[in-house]
């Protein structure tokens, strides 16, 4: 019984560690986006608020921007999962 409990607890801890979703802000920080972008002013790349303003109301913008980051079209190719890219783009597009 004790062994089974330890195995179940270990499996749960492992599954929880693999299932953590990062917030968009965490992804932007972890992937180095803040080296070239800031929220409110242009650095090497455009400010996040400017990107959000440009695509405001464009329902296809999130998918298009994720694709550009994934493929490296007009932006260096991002080394991130689809989920991370979606979280980061969602955060940027929500910037005011």
């Amino acid at each position: 019984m004790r062994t089974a409990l330890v195995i179940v607890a270990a499996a749960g801890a492992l599954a929880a560690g693999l299932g953590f979703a990062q917030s968009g802000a965490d992804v932007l920080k972890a992937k180095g986006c803040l080296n070239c972008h800031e929220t409110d002013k242009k650095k090497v790349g455009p400010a996040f608020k400017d990107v959000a303003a440009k695509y405001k109301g464009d329902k296809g913008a999130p998918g298009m921007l994720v694709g550009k980051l994934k493929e490296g079209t007009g932006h260096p190719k991002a080394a991130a999962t689809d989920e991370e890219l979606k979280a980061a783009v969602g955060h940027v597009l929500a910037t005011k």
Side-chain angles (χ1 to χ4, degrees):
M1 175 76 171
R2 188 175 196 180
T3 304
L5 183 58
V6 170
I7 291 171
V8 169
L14 180 60
L18 295 175
F20 281 133
Q22 288 185 309
S23 72
D26 290 340
V27 173
L28 293 172
K29 185 175 180 182
K31 298 301 178 180
C33 303
L34 302 178
N35 293 333
C36 297
H37 300 277
E38 283 191 30
T39 299
D40 58 354
K41 64 181 174 182
K42 180 177 175 22
K43 266 178 128 174
V44 175
F48 293 146
K49 71 174 185 148
D50 295 337
V51 174
K54 179 177 180 178
Y55 294 105
K56 185 176 182 178
D58 183 347
K59 303 277 188 222
M64 183 267 304
L65 292 172
V66 166
K68 283 186 171 195
L69 293 171
K70 194 173 174 179
E71 299 300 322
T73 309
H75 185 281
K77 194 172 187 176
T81 65
D82 286 352
E83 291 77 23
E84 289 171 329
L85 291 174
K86 288 175 187 175
V89 166
H91 182 78
V92 169
L93 292 176
T95 303
K96 295 188 189 240

